[in-house]
Amino acid sequence: MTNFEIPQEIEDYLGVLDKFIEAEIKPIEQRDDNIRFFDHRREDARTNWEDQGLPTEEWEALLVEMRKTADAAGHYRYALPEEFGGQNGTNLGMARIREHLAEKGLGLHNDLQNENSIVGNLVQPLMLRDFGTDQQKRDYIPEMLAGRMGWCFGLTEKDHGSDATWMDTTAVRETRDGVDGWLINGNKMWTTGLHKASHVMTFARHSGKVGDAKGIG
């Protein structure tokens, strides 16, 4: 039988996060009418309707300030190992923290619509650590964590939405000019952040058959 009791140290950390939000995040949220990004005006405040509906520069700058503030306080990298400046946070800890921050309502501290939070859901550094080449780890991870390199998430497709098991995009091993790599064919859409990202973490089927949960990388 699984014990789902939340460890006290996680519950205590929620209190630390609450104090941080009140002391450092709420003042930023209230400054210069930044609350317009979270009240009834948020769609217009966040959206540049004259440029393909992309996020406004002011909105993106505010999110950058939030992440830097949370990172400086030691919260943003909570789920990462200590080698990356994190707290070795567990999956259970992340689940409880995300639940708690969502319960507080929409605000600069947490926005599930676009995955922005004072406690980052930072899967890319861990994927690079576990599956990347030595060069990728050396060149990418520090830049990502410093906020100098932006990655986005290539999952959704026009015929299958976000149902990854039925995706059309495929990856086949290929050697070109003596260099081993992958030939990727397919389509992606609604790739949030693509307008500024330098890299796309693209999901593709490399083995298995359509509908299988395995064989996707």
Side-chain angles (χ1 to χ4, degrees), residues 13 17 20 25 63-81 84-89 94 97-98 101 108-110 114-125 143-147 149-151:
Y13 188 54
L17 291 175
F20 167 72
I25 299 300
L63 295 178
V64 169
E65 182 178 2
M66 177 273 288
R67 290 193 292 268
K68 287 183 176 181
T69 303
D71 199 20
H75 303 308
Y76 188 64
R77 307 186 196 188
Y78 165 85
L80 297 181
F84 296 150
Q87 300 187 43
N88 298 315
M94 277 296 288
I97 289 169
R98 287 170 67 84
L101 294 180
L108 184 57
H109 66 284
N110 189 70
N114 53 29
E115 275 295 329
N116 279 285
S117 176
I118 59 171
V119 179
N121 186 21
L122 307 175
V123 296
Q124 286 100 333
E143 293 298 296
M144 293 168 67
L145 294 178
M149 176 182 286
W151 283 42

Side-chain angles (χ1 to χ4, degrees), residues 12 16 27 56 71 74 88 95-96 148 190 196 198 202:
D12 291 343
V16 173
T56 61
D71 199 20
N88 298 315
R96 180 68 184 100
R148 292 187 294 266
W190 296 334
K196 288 189 175 179
S198 57
T202 304

